[in-house]
Amino acid sequence: MGIVDRLQEVFQAVFGEEGRITSDDDGPGSIPGWDSVNHVNLILAIEAEFGVQFDAGEIPDLVTVGQIKARLAEPR
Amino acid sequence: MTEIETLLAAVRARDPSEIRLTEYPSLARQLLNVERGGLRPLNVVVLSTFTTEFIDPFLVVEGARHGLQVSISRGGFAQFEQALLDPGTRESWGAIDAIVLQMRIEDVDRNAVVRYPADPSVFPGRVAETIERLESCVAIIREWSDGPILIANFAMPSLRPLTVYEAHAGDSLTYAVAAANRELWNRLAPLAGVYVWDYAGLVASRGSDTWTDPRLWALARAPISSENRPFFAAHLARTLKGVVEPSAKCLVLDLDNTVWGGVVGDDGVEGLQLGDEYPGSAFKEFQRAVLGLRDRGILLAVASRNDLDVARRAIETHPDMLIRWEDFAATRINWNPKSLGLREIAAELNIGIDSLVLFDDNPVERAEVRESVPEVRVIEVPTDVTRYAIALYESGHFDVPSVTEEDRGRARAYQAERARADARGSAPSLEEFLRGLDMMVEIGHLDALNQERVAQLVAKTNQFNLTTRRYTKAQLETMATEDDREVIWLRLRDRFGDAGLVAVAILQLCEQTAIIDSLIMSCRVMNRHVEQALTSHLASLAKARGCTQLIGEYRPTSKNHIVAGLYPALGFAAADGDGETRRFVLDLVVNAEPIPWPETIQSPAGRT
């Protein structure tokens, strides 16, 4: 599975059916349930799925699908 | 299985560390969307000095593991008195089943913890204030609820001010936390309906270094690290369950490869693994853990498919048995289905079937019990015996908030009751159970398809074998071709599956007399009236062939005493015997059906 498919699975685990990703611009405005609590849940789920750890400073900025994809593409 | 049963099975087959973090939210969503029948609804209010919203999906899933349908309500962030005093907030909570209060000293005053060495008197002062606040919260709650209140105790923070010398310095935070927990207990545990939730024990067992995630504290005031959330929820759920649900009363043990290593019927008492060297030592350790439960009032029982005499001798005479025969409040050692043994044990001890816990290494037996008596709590036993004791204690089935003197004396009380019950005898409803099995048999004559299995039964069966005549496969084949002999087999099926070819009989016809030369059955299907079905068939067959009497023979050996009384029980009369052979006779003329077909077994198609 590529990054996009794995990310899709994580989004649906956290947000349910409403977590379907349609574009890189998807974020708190387009995905219902993406509130501050679920933002942290999403980040932790991504960490678990991809085996990465983000710095505290990065977490508030990872608020669109595009930003998350770009960050995951960076070397660890 | 219903949807909820499928979901629960998926949760209970794994412990919290085996469920992926990303799986919890979807499991929780599924649990919230199905009819959670069979789970106990529990509306719990959680008031805490930190953000706890993150635990919700975990608490739904871990609650379900322990039989609870948890819904969670809260007040405003870090609000206690305000929320408890505000009628509007209380109204939004609805009917509450339990309240959890958690105040961390590091949230109340971070300096008191992080800068503890600056003035070691600050921390105990904050503790005293916090305990007073908790007391006042309890008083407020008691104005409108007498339900259970759980109060978290104080965990050691991951940052230890004196690092490796915490224990050496007598006035360190480590000792101050221990004193704080003792004080919390002194002041709050005596209050009616108030329970100390051992949050400190949870953090210690998971490891305080990794318990918190400083990023999550910084960003969301939610200190508990991602991987520990399931454990936070699991521990809270277990603690809640122990408060609202009665604990299990009786641990039912299997014997072979559970209490000892090996199979006593095959290996003998001397061949069992039980002693001071591995693997015997691991079984002994498990026995010690079992006795630890008995010491605090959990009854012990045995349900084992075994020969009673052999198993009892092992329990009574093996020098390394820590659990003794008298320690068991009830025993069912026989060849009946385990589920029947469990029903009988519950009836004999006069406790609900749902207060039994089964510990059995055999997954097939566990599945049979789950299927036929779903009320019994069945522990998933690990394959490694050194992990048995942990599985037993961590199942949560024996969690009780306190142990009473009555608990400590319970085992003795039941021993006495057992002696009384033995004297008057007990009468379980075997017939009812058998009817529910939907047993069907198929009966046929020896042919190439089944001669291997028939020959195997004739060669190997010791216990249910009336004459123990060991014919070879070739001899059996020859008999099958003779006019005056019938080699007959029986297959058994029930709603749990196909037991296969389980019985063989050889009928010898001499003019007007038919003799049952051999009658052999697998012990696995004893006490299910299969032998009655087979002999009923033999009697009909003999009658159809013009015989007027049927003779049964019994030749005692050291192993077949269990069938010594079979023919009299089937209505045969004792007749003359010679030497080793006892004979029994049944008149085929007087009765239309000399041996009635058992009501609990369906007749095979085409039987007349």
Side-chain angles (χ1 to χ4, degrees):
Chain A
M1 268 200 296
I3 283 187
V4 179
D5 291 329
R6 288 166 72 191
L7 210 50
Q8 178 62 78
E9 283 201 352
V10 173
F11 268 67
Q12 283 186 327
V14 176
F15 300 114
E17 278 311 300
E18 291 169 331
R20 204 176 307 278
I21 296 173
T22 54
S23 87
D24 279 357
D25 296 331
D26 279 334
S30 59
I31 293 182
W34 193 334
D35 56 17
S36 60
V37 168
N38 270 335
H39 178 65
V40 175
N41 285 339
L42 174 68
I43 295 298
L44 293 175
I46 292 169
E47 287 187 342
E49 169 64 27
F50 290 88
V52 293
Q53 251 217 0
F54 304 116
D55 289 345
E58 306 178 277
I59 294 173
D61 297 330
L62 297 172
V63 284
T64 65
V65 170
Q67 282 161 333
I68 292 167
K69 273 159 70 177
R71 174 62 182 82
L72 288 173
E74 285 173 21
R76 301 235 167 116
Chain B
M1 285 211 288
T2 62
E3 218 175 330
I4 181 70
E5 284 168 342
T6 311
L7 267 172
L8 288 176
V11 171
R12 290 175 180 161
R14 297 171 291 174
D15 71 39
S17 65
E18 291 168 322
I19 301 179
R20 284 185 303 127
L21 285 173
T22 48
E23 221 179 323
Y24 271 98
S26 69
L27 281 170
R29 258 194 305 276
Q30 291 176 64
L31 278 165
L32 291 169
N33 284 330
V34 301
E35 189 57 46
R36 285 184 278 177
L39 297 184
R40 180 196 183 101
L42 191 86
N43 183 14
V44 53
V45 168
V46 178
L47 303 182
S48 174
T49 51
F50 58 86
T51 306
T52 54
E53 273 80 353
F54 300 93
I55 65 158
D56 291 7
F58 300 101
L59 201 52
V60 167
V61 174
E62 292 301 326
R65 177 195 302 282
H66 293 290
L68 302 175
Q69 177 185 332
V70 181
S71 48
I72 305 134
S73 306
R74 298 188 169 77
F77 175 76
Q79 283 187 9
F80 290 82
E81 296 86 347
Q82 302 99 301
L84 293 170
L85 286 165
D86 175 38
T89 307
R90 256 162 47 203
E91 199 177 314
S92 73
W93 290 341
I96 297 167
D97 301 301
I99 299 180
V100 179
L101 304 176
Q102 176 162 30
M103 294 186 187
R104 298 197 316 164
I105 304 297
E106 55 266 58
D107 300 337
V108 172
D109 178 359
R110 287 197 87 67
N111 278 336
V113 174
V114 181
R115 302 188 58 194
Y116 173 86
D119 181 355
S121 70
V122 175
F123 181 86
R126 292 293 184 229
V127 167
E129 289 164 23
T130 301
I131 290 174
E132 257 171 54
R133 266 187 83 191
L134 288 165
E135 283 176 322
S136 110
C137 288
V138 170
I140 296 169
I141 293 165
R142 286 293 174 249
E143 291 288 314
W144 43 267
S145 163
D146 55 6
I149 303 171
L150 266 57
I151 297 180
N153 61 2
F154 307 114
M156 192 62 194
S158 52
L159 270 188
R160 290 152 195 264
L162 299 181
T163 66
V164 295
Y165 289 109
E166 275 288 320
H168 180 75
D171 60 352
S172 67
L173 180 59
T174 294
Y175 295 110
V177 168
N181 282 326
R182 176 46 81 168
E183 181 63 10
L184 180 81
W185 184 86
N186 284 340
R187 300 271 291 274
L188 287 154
L191 305 177
V194 175
Y195 302 87
V196 174
W197 169 31
D198 191 15
Y199 177 76
L202 164 66
V203 174
S205 77
R206 292 292 302 164
S208 57
D209 279 3
T210 53
W211 179 254
T212 53
D213 180 339
R215 301 176 307 160
L216 302 183
W217 172 253
L219 293 170
R221 291 282 180 270
I224 296 159
S225 65
S226 175
E227 68 268 26
N228 279 312
R229 290 173 173 185
F231 293 91
F232 180 95
H235 198 275
L236 181 54
R238 256 179 87 172
T239 309
L240 285 165
K241 186 209 60 172
V243 164
V244 298
E245 287 265 4
S247 101
K249 296 194 178 77
C250 177
L251 170 64
V252 184
L253 296 162
D254 173 49
L255 293 175
D256 292 332
N257 288 318
T258 298
V259 161
W260 53 60
V263 176
V264 69
D266 293 341
D267 304 330
V269 177
E270 301 75 20
L272 294 178
Q273 294 169 341
L274 186 63
D276 295 320
E277 300 296 328
Y278 180 85
S281 57
F283 288 98
K284 209 168 166 179
E285 266 315 302
F286 176 63
Q287 290 198 16
R288 215 184 302 279
V290 167
L291 286 174
L293 290 182
R294 196 203 74 136
D295 295 339
R296 59 180 184 76
I298 305 300
L299 300 174
L300 304 183
V302 171
S304 168
R305 285 156 70 83
N306 244 315
D307 182 278
L308 173 61
D309 292 340
V310 172
R312 182 167 180 166
R313 193 165 64 243
I315 294 169
E316 288 184 329
T317 65
H318 197 293
D320 288 297
M321 275 297 293
L322 298 179
I323 311 172
R324 286 297 173 190
W325 184 260
E326 313 77 68
D327 293 323
F328 295 114
T331 51
R332 285 298 179 277
I333 301 173
N334 51 43
W335 300 97
N336 290 335
K338 200 144 281 196
S339 53
L340 176 63
L342 290 162
R343 284 183 201 281
E344 291 178 355
I345 287 167
E348 179 179 333
L349 299 178
N350 200 19
I351 56 180
I353 189 94
D354 57 350
S355 56
L356 299 186
V357 174
L358 176 68
F359 198 99
D360 189 324
D361 71 295
N362 186 335
V364 177
E365 301 285 10
R366 297 202 296 267
E368 192 266 329
V369 168
R370 281 204 183 96
E371 163 78 11
S372 16
V373 268
E375 303 92 335
V376 171
R377 314 179 203 192
V378 180
I379 294 180
E380 271 307 295
V381 175
T383 50
D384 180 352
V385 56
T386 61
R387 303 196 60 80
Y388 277 13
I390 293 170
L392 180 64
Y393 277 56
E394 290 309 304
S395 71
H397 296 312
F398 303 106
D399 295 341
V400 284
S402 56
V403 178
T404 63
E405 272 312 306
E406 192 207 351
D407 290 333
R408 295 193 179 94
R410 183 171 299 124
R412 279 188 300 281
Y414 268 87
Q415 274 168 23
E417 176 55 29
R418 187 184 182 193
R420 284 194 290 278
D422 280 351
R424 69 172 178 262
S426 53
S429 175
L430 179 63
E431 292 307 306
E432 244 175 67
F433 167 77
L434 291 177
R435 233 183 295 281
L437 280 179
D438 298 332
M439 287 185 284
M440 289 178 63
V441 298
E442 187 189 343
I443 295 175
H445 292 260
L446 183 76
D447 61 30
L449 276 180
N450 45 53
Q451 62 190 18
E452 285 293 348
R453 172 63 179 154
V454 169
Q456 184 191 38
L457 275 174
V458 170
K460 295 256 172 80
T461 310
N462 291 321
Q463 298 189 73
F464 199 113
N465 192 335
L466 274 294
T467 55
T468 322
R469 295 186 175 119
R470 307 290 195 193
Y471 299 115
T472 64
K473 200 167 111 188
Q475 285 173 312
L476 291 165
E477 276 176 63
T478 308
M479 283 183 202
T481 63
E482 293 170 350
D483 280 346
D484 59 351
R485 277 206 257 219
E486 305 277 1
V487 182
I488 292 157
W489 51 258
L490 177 147
R491 298 180 62 95
L492 174 71
R493 224 156 15 102
D494 62 28
R495 65 190 187 91
F496 296 116
D498 194 345
L501 197 160
V502 291
V504 173
I506 300 172
L507 197 63
Q508 168 107 46
L509 302 149
C510 317
E511 298 179 4
Q512 303 221 299
T513 299
I515 300 166
I516 305 173
D517 173 276
S518 296
L519 182 62
I520 296 159
M521 192 176 78
S522 162
C523 284
R524 286 186 293 133
V525 297
M526 263 184 339
N527 290 346
R528 291 170 68 167
H529 301 333
V530 172
E531 66 281 15
Q532 189 185 334
L534 182 54
T535 49
S536 171
H537 177 81
L538 295 177
S540 305
L541 182 70
K543 200 168 172 170
R545 296 278 296 255
C547 296
T548 57
Q549 60 174 5
L550 180 64
I551 305 247
E553 294 182 338
Y554 171 63
R555 300 203 307 165
T557 68
S558 63
K559 291 182 174 156
N560 72 351
H561 58 272
I562 54 169
V563 289
L566 178 75
Y567 286 121
L570 289 167
F572 287 68
D576 290 339
D578 59 69
E580 292 300 295
T581 306
R582 294 180 208 161
R583 291 205 172 79
F584 303 88
V585 63
L586 183 72
D587 189 328
L588 297 177
V589 180
V590 179
N591 297 315
E593 200 179 20
I595 300 176
W597 184 266
E599 280 175 28
T600 48
I601 300 180
Q602 293 174 45
S603 313
R607 197 184 79 89
T608 49

